Amino acid sequence: MTPQPDAGGHFGSYGGRYVPEVLMSPLEELERAFCEAREDPAFHAELDELLHTYAGRPTPLYFARRLTQTLGGARIYLKREDLLHTGAHKINNCLGQVLIARRMGKKRVIAETGAGQHGVATATVCALFGLECVVYMGEEDMRRQRLNVFRMRLLGAKVVAVSNGSRTLKDAISEAMRDWVTNVATTHYLLGSALGSHPYPLMVREFHKVMGEEARAQIQQAEQRLPDAVFACVGGGSNAIGIFHAFIPDRSVGLIGVEAGGRSARLGEHAARFSGGSPGVLQGARSYLLQDENGQVSLTHSVSAGLDYALVGPEHAWLHDTGRAEYVSIGDRQALDAARMLSQTEGIIPALESAHAVAEAASRASQAKGQVFVVNLSGRGDKDIDIYRENFRELDS
Amino acid sequence: MTRIGRLFENLKRSGGKGLIAYITAGDPTPEHTPALVEALERGGADLIELGVPFSDPIADGPVIQRAGERALRAGTTLRKVLDIAREVRRRSEIPLLLFTYLNPVLRYGLEALAKDAAASGIDGCLLTDASVEEAGEYVRIMRAAGLDTVFLAAPTSSPRRQRLVAQYSSGFVYLVSHTGVTGERETLSDAVGPLVRSMRSITELPLAVGFGISRPEHVAELGQQVEAVVVGSAIMHLIERNLDNPSLEVQLESFARELKHGFEMAKAGAHRP
């Protein structure tokens, strides 16, 4: 079972294309460009070279010895995407899409960003290829991720503050879509997660599946067997789908996606779409959505900007309904505690997003003696230092 | 045939052109909307698009975004917009087209909406983010309830897509004048001429043009090419500037009259390009 969407981009009844008519032909054009590139050995050669020499692939699969000892159960491995250039997995997709944009002759690239990691990765590849770059970011996210705002500007990108709605990722995506609708002839929308209309969820997965392919080979090398479970955090779901994909045919491998449980299970206080949402349509795709009884999209909350979004990527909805993957949520406090534990047992400060996956793996480890866990450490925590300081005041005197 | 179909038959017989007025239902409150609709009708509007506010309006510019936020804050829901339609229907036979995004409609339920909308005197529905590819079930259910389904064609639509849009549309086809979001513009885009000519060769359905039309001169220019023009953001901007002004209805009525007069300007040849 290796999932491919149907011709309309549907994973089961999820995904599809729900956009204003203005964008339909451009999406068809993008799909053609992506499909042609996918068949072109020269495209793959250039992308592989960039991933290797510029981004730093392959990333290590690291055995977390002290974390494993501390928890006293499963043997825990970390897929070190945090070591990639720009500090997170996002660069994989950005390098792929910027090559597509160049094939399509687009001179201007726009993107949305939540935590700022995708914005930084987009600004980076635009600098690398000499393209104009505009990044939309919610005002609330700009406040809590100030360092990344500056990094984007230093890289030559224009960062546009979005003050609508919840002033977070969802509103940044809406504003980027409005820009794309207006400037579609010259502009490529470099969407940063496995979200939006076909071909984006498929394309973003294809550019991130290298994580799972590497991890699958590396764990077999290290343990002479497949892992029992693979953990990844799920906002839109790009790092999760990227590491899950290669393991989907391996029925013995549990795939565990970790959403943001936020402050509580009350609507508006979390971003747990599977436990708190229902199927709906937002920003181009059908999937599990946090919404009220009138079909208005709910506000969400997470301490981690990258998980703070009302819709989950459509392929995850399908993996959920088919039972192939399991989705759970981890609250703000547990994620913060897991970040501190990983910092002090392994000397690795994780991104808050990735700390959600670490927390879930840690919570299961003691009951899983003899098992092997792989956790996707999708990003590093430099960008979250201000939030860690706010939450660990006793360390900051 | 719906009131929309009859409107365009009457316009054809009389040689007239239609003014379509968009209004975000519930701005400033649901209680205000019926009177605002009636003011637009008195001023000469031939069809009303009742916008149902949605939290994430990706196709709308700032004016209609703000209108939607005010309407949502005032407690507007799809159910309340149907109440508004029923209220308008007590006194008026003006065609009413629901104009919204897909998610509130899915949440209400397609079957339930078709039944309730028809019973409320709604004549049709336009969903900005429902591409024809995703709209099969929606079209079947709406049509079965006797409602029109209007779809958008854009300057970027390929000939293949233009044919699909015409196939899925009933009542009329809504042509988007330029690539972009809703909002007033100084001048009209020249992209619409080729789109109008191309759609004429594909369909017998009446054509309406919208997006960016805000002045009688725009109406004059487009009135020579299509059966109807749509004005939205300019109306919502006027409402926004006069939220607490007791003369709002009078102003709306006179703005609609000015816009409608644009068609006369065209007939008089004043604005032949």
Side-chain angles (χ1 to χ4, degrees):
Chain A
M1 181 179 72
T2 308
Q4 290 302 330
D6 71 11
H10 300 94
F11 296 91
S13 65
Y14 303 108
R17 272 186 185 146
Y18 297 90
V19 287
E21 173 61 26
V22 172
L23 293 180
M24 288 300 290
S25 290
L27 284 168
E28 291 172 357
E29 182 196 347
L30 176 61
E31 184 187 3
R32 274 194 301 277
F34 167 64
C35 291
E36 282 166 20
R38 203 152 63 140
E39 302 302 316
D40 179 358
F43 172 82
H44 287 285
E46 185 173 11
L47 179 57
D48 290 349
E49 175 72 8
L50 283 166
L51 288 172
H52 181 58
T53 61
Y54 184 74
R57 297 216 76 88
T59 59
L61 184 73
Y62 165 72
F63 175 58
R65 189 178 317 276
R66 290 197 66 227
L67 180 68
T68 296
Q69 281 167 2
T70 303
L71 296 167
R75 293 166 62 76
I76 300 177
Y77 286 80
L78 304 175
K79 180 61 175 162
R80 297 293 309 274
E81 295 298 303
D82 60 317
L83 294 176
L84 279 180
H85 181 44
T86 73
H89 71 291
K90 297 288 188 187
I91 192 81
N92 300 325
N93 170 51
C94 288
L95 284 169
Q97 281 199 45
V98 80
L99 294 181
I100 301 276
R102 196 186 57 181
R103 286 173 80 98
M104 295 173 76
K106 307 285 185 184
K107 301 283 184 230
R108 180 173 178 267
V109 169
I110 58 171
E112 82 296 337
T113 197
Q117 289 304 105
H118 175 59
V120 167
T122 302
T124 298
V125 299
C126 287
L128 181 64
F129 284 87
L131 300 174
E132 181 188 349
C133 178
V134 177
V135 179
Y136 290 91
M137 188 169 189
E139 271 182 352
E140 170 64 15
D141 290 339
M142 284 177 75
R143 185 192 62 75
R144 55 181 167 175
Q145 301 288 353
R146 275 196 316 238
L147 180 66
N148 273 344
V149 174
F150 182 76
R151 289 169 80 197
M152 287 183 265
R153 289 179 176 151
L154 186 60
L155 289 159
K158 182 176 165 201
V159 183
V160 179
V162 178
S163 56
N164 310 332
S166 56
R167 296 172 290 138
T168 60
L169 179 59
K170 171 173 78 85
D171 311 287
I173 293 178
S174 285
E175 214 47 44
M177 288 183 82
R178 291 186 188 110
D179 180 318
W180 200 35
V181 164
T182 308
N183 301 301
V184 65
T186 59
T187 299
H188 174 65
Y189 180 14
L190 207 166
L191 186 57
S193 195
L195 294 169
S197 286
H198 182 60
Y200 282 104
L202 172 67
M203 181 166 69
V204 172
R205 179 195 82 192
E206 289 298 299
F207 290 141
H208 281 309
K209 71 179 184 188
V210 61
M211 292 186 273
E213 290 168 352
E214 285 174 11
R216 193 173 181 280
Q218 289 165 324
I219 194 72
Q220 292 188 97
Q221 179 91 39
E223 291 279 339
Q224 284 75 53
R225 70 176 183 97
L226 289 168
D228 297 283
V230 177
F231 297 82
C233 64
V234 183
S238 67
N239 90 81
I241 207 68
I243 197 154
F244 287 176
H245 186 70
F247 291 103
I248 286 174
D250 304 319
R251 304 301 303 213
S252 67
V253 179
L255 304 175
I256 293 123
V258 186
E259 298 182 288
R263 278 189 291 258
S264 81
R266 253 185 51 195
L267 195 62
E269 304 224 310
H270 63 85
R273 287 68 49 99
F274 288 110
S275 57
S278 54
V281 169
L282 178 67
Q283 295 171 334
R286 181 173 187 275
S287 187
Y288 280 79
L289 174 66
L290 289 168
Q291 55 182 320
D292 70 12
E293 67 278 12
N294 296 305
Q296 305 297 339
V297 178
S298 306
L299 297 184
T300 52
H301 163 80
S302 169
V303 68
S304 136
L307 304 183
D308 196 354
Y309 182 64
L311 189 92
V312 69
E315 191 170 355
H316 288 292
W318 181 79
L319 289 172
H320 170 269
D321 284 13
T322 56
R324 179 62 191 93
E326 176 191 353
Y327 295 85
V328 298
S329 64
I330 283 288
D332 288 352
R333 192 68 245 171
Q334 294 163 278
L336 286 160
D337 290 344
R340 190 171 179 175
M341 177 174 62
L342 189 68
S343 301
Q344 300 188 354
T345 56
E346 296 292 346
I348 297 171
I349 302 173
L352 264 167
E353 290 76 16
S354 320
H356 285 71
V358 174
E360 180 63 23
S363 79
R364 298 186 186 207
S366 63
Q367 305 300 313
K369 192 108 188 140
Q371 293 193 16
V372 172
F373 288 178
V374 170
V375 179
N376 199 8
L377 202 68
S378 54
R380 59 179 176 242
D382 308 33
K383 70 183 176 60
D384 294 317
I385 291 301
D386 285 343
I387 299 169
Y388 289 139
R389 286 179 71 179
E390 276 169 35
N391 283 280
F392 301 123
R393 294 233 167 120
E394 66 278 16
L395 304 179
D396 192 31
S397 52
Chain B
M1 182 180 288
T2 67
R3 292 178 191 84
I4 296 171
R6 289 201 293 277
L7 166 68
F8 283 105
E9 279 200 344
N10 291 338
L11 288 172
K12 192 172 183 181
R13 237 189 331 268
S14 67
K17 301 287 184 176
L19 174 64
I20 300 178
Y22 167 93
I23 185 168
T24 301
D27 177 32
T29 72
E31 292 68 37
H32 277 80
T33 305
L36 301 182
V37 168
E38 284 158 25
L40 289 165
E41 185 178 11
R42 281 197 304 277
D46 298 289
L47 188 158
I48 301 290
E49 291 179 355
L50 275 180
V52 181
F54 178 51
S55 50
D56 298 84
I58 52 173
D60 285 305
V63 171
I64 294 181
Q65 286 178 46
R66 290 196 299 267
E69 286 167 17
R70 286 191 298 271
L72 287 171
R73 274 200 302 274
T76 310
T77 61
L78 179 48
R79 196 171 297 279
K80 282 200 180 161
V81 178
L82 298 182
D83 293 342
I84 290 168
R86 245 191 318 274
E87 184 63 28
V88 171
R89 249 328 143 241
R90 287 167 44 166
R91 288 182 290 277
S92 167
E93 282 300 304
I94 193 165
L96 296 173
L97 181 71
L98 282 180
F99 192 103
T100 188
Y101 292 80
L102 186 55
N103 201 56
V105 166
L106 291 178
R107 188 68 179 195
Y108 195 102
L110 288 173
E111 297 273 3
L113 178 66
K115 179 166 153 281
D116 294 353
S120 308
I122 295 284
D123 299 289
C125 194
L126 190 162
L127 301 176
T128 316
D129 58 348
S131 61
V132 290
E133 280 81 350
E134 306 289 354
E137 191 188 9
Y138 153 75
V139 168
R140 186 177 55 72
I141 291 170
M142 294 290 147
R143 298 281 185 87
L147 298 169
D148 280 322
T149 53
V150 177
F151 284 86
L152 302 168
T156 51
S157 302
S158 60
R160 183 184 73 82
R161 300 202 57 80
Q162 291 175 12
R163 282 192 294 277
L164 282 170
V165 165
Q167 260 170 37
Y168 279 72
S169 292
S170 65
F172 66 98
V173 182
Y174 188 133
L175 311 187
V176 175
S177 69
H178 61 88
T179 59
V181 294
T182 58
E184 299 146 271
R185 290 199 154 195
E186 291 288 309
T187 53
L188 292 174
S189 136
D190 45 14
V192 76
L195 179 60
V196 170
R197 284 192 291 282
S198 177
M199 290 302 292
R200 286 281 182 227
S201 70
I202 288 170
T203 180
E204 301 279 309
L205 283 169
L207 304 179
V209 174
F211 280 45
I213 298 157
S214 55
R215 300 173 180 191
E217 302 83 64
H218 299 161
V219 173
E221 192 177 330
L222 290 168
Q224 299 170 57
Q225 303 179 50
V226 290
E227 283 75 16
V229 300
V230 190
V231 178
S233 294
I235 288 171
M236 296 320 296
H237 204 172
L238 194 155
I239 292 175
E240 182 172 60
R241 286 194 305 262
N242 294 279
L243 289 173
D244 300 314
N245 189 337
S247 75
L248 171 59
E249 288 164 37
V250 178
Q251 291 196 47
L252 265 188
E253 180 181 336
S254 77
F255 184 48
R257 190 165 290 121
E258 282 171 40
L259 291 168
K260 190 66 179 276
H261 183 65
F263 292 125
E264 303 305 317
M265 291 159 66
K267 265 191 191 158
H271 274 264
R272 210 160 285 280

